[in-house]
Each structure stands twice: as C-alpha cells, then as structure tokens.
Amino acid sequence: CAQCHHPLYSSLDKYKGPCIWPSFRGPAREDSLHIRKVYPYNKYTVSVYEVYCNKCKLFVGHQFEDAKEKGDTHPLARWRH
C-alpha cells in the first residue's frame, strides 16, 4: 500500500492485463485486501468489486470477474484487477 506499506500484491502474481492498470491474479496474503461489491458498475455485466487496503482502507482499484473473456489464459484465471 502506498499509504501504510501493507503488502497488497506479489510481483509473482502480476500479469499484463487488458488495461493500463497493473493486473494481479490474487492478493499477497489472505488478509491483504478489503473487497466490496459494487451495484451496478457502468455497463459491466460481470461482478465488479472495489478493492481497498485491508489495513488503512485506502482505495486501490477495481476487480472484475471476466479474466477469461479478456484473454487471460492462466488455468486459475477468474478475476482481473
């Protein structure tokens, strides 16, 4: 986290996603992120979540449930950030 330095993601889980924002397949640790579902979000037809640092609650981005549709071929792909 840029604000409190709590580990959010591992560079080992980073991949080139479909947008300019960094994409990660998962958090650094189970307690790294606080995630809240957004209803509705623009014209998305998939689940969309707001992602926050779990320690200081700084907003760090969105999570979308469409990784396979956006070209991620990783066997565990489901979410993109």
Side-chain angles (χ1 to χ4, degrees), residues 22-54:
S23 295
F24 298 89
R25 291 196 173 93
R29 300 187 321 223
E30 192 173 312
D31 67 343
S32 293
L33 305 173
H34 172 76
I35 299 172
R36 184 177 76 86
K37 189 164 182 145
V38 180
Y39 299 94
Y41 186 76
N42 291 336
K43 295 181 182 182
Y44 282 92
T45 57
V46 298
S47 296
V48 180
Y49 295 81
E50 291 179 339
V51 180
Y52 299 86
C53 171
N54 199 33

